[in-house]
Amino acid sequence: MKHSIIVKIISKMLIKTFGFILFFSSSQSESLFRPNLPMGEYRIVFDKVYPCETSKNYPIQLNWYLSKKTSSITELKGNTTFLIPFDDTLTIDYKFASWGSTGGWVPNALIIEKKKACSNLKHLVGNAWFIFMEGFNFPTNECPLPAGTYITSGIDKKKFEDMNFPKVFFYGKYKVVLRHRNLKNEVVGCHLIEFSLIRPWETPI
């Protein structure tokens, strides 16, 4: 009888010990498995939005700025002004620059040119398109977008992370120049966006 009781006690102790070992080993492996690889899945963090040339009055104007609402919330504010419809007769080109390891922008990290600007932009930004349309009070979320001035009181910039960008890319800081052109190849809008791609567990600086 004594022997069986001792065996049961030892068995329980072994089970508990084994459980603790599993718990701590899995916790440690989870906390340590954060590889410092140059590319992978990421979070996108928008840093700045501004026009290419403030002196030019282009027909497509994104008069946006980022404003800190609280310590954890930064909002996109401003207005979107279309003096012409934003439609699929326009083309849009993206020219990316990356931040160099020794500082300074390295141009032409990626160049993309797309026809049917409105439809392609809608596809690229994914679910964030509808957040943008609602936040700026557009009368429709379908292309074409009519001429007019559309104002937002503020949209949390974290809501723009849900886009149809490649799911894996190189980490780092980027700047993209967006140029819209009409059928005559004339520039009708030009804007810059600076953003960072960080690891999912990292905190923005």
Side-chain angles (χ1 to χ4, degrees), residues 55-75:
S55 59
K56 291 197 175 180
N57 191 32
Y58 287 118
I60 294 176
Q61 303 169 19
L62 309 181
N63 302 309
W64 302 345
Y65 62 96
L66 295 173
S67 175
K68 209 164 188 63
K69 184 178 181 180
T70 68
S71 59
S72 59
I73 298 175
T74 299
E75 291 183 327

Side-chain angles (χ1 to χ4, degrees), residues 69-155:
K69 184 178 181 180
T70 68
S71 59
S72 59
I73 298 175
T74 299
E75 291 183 327
L76 177 70
K77 291 191 171 186
N79 70 77
T80 300
T81 298
F82 295 152
L83 303 179
I84 58 173
F86 184 70
D87 58 24
D88 283 348
T89 65
L90 304 173
T91 60
I92 183 170
D93 61 64
Y94 309 85
K95 289 188 178 178
F96 290 81
S98 59
W99 188 256
S101 57
T102 57
W105 293 108
V106 180
N108 302 330
L110 181 65
I111 300 174
I112 302 171
E113 183 177 321
K114 289 287 187 181
K115 295 181 179 179
K116 298 184 176 180
C118 188
S119 295
N120 274 289
L121 187 63
K122 181 181 178 182
H123 172 73
L124 179 67
V125 299
N127 290 330
W129 171 271
F130 300 100
I131 292 165
F132 181 85
M133 294 295 107
E134 183 180 353
F136 276 88
N137 300 298
F138 278 87
T140 178
N141 57 29
E142 299 295 336
C143 293
L145 299 176
T149 297
Y150 307 99
I151 302 170
T152 181
S153 58
I155 310 170

Side-chain angles (χ1 to χ4, degrees), residues 4 22 48 78 93 98 105 121 123 135 157 163 186 192:
S4 61
L22 280 177
K48 295 179 184 177
D93 61 64
S98 59
W105 293 108
L121 187 63
H123 172 73
K157 73 172 186 176
M163 298 188 178
E186 298 168 334
L192 292 100

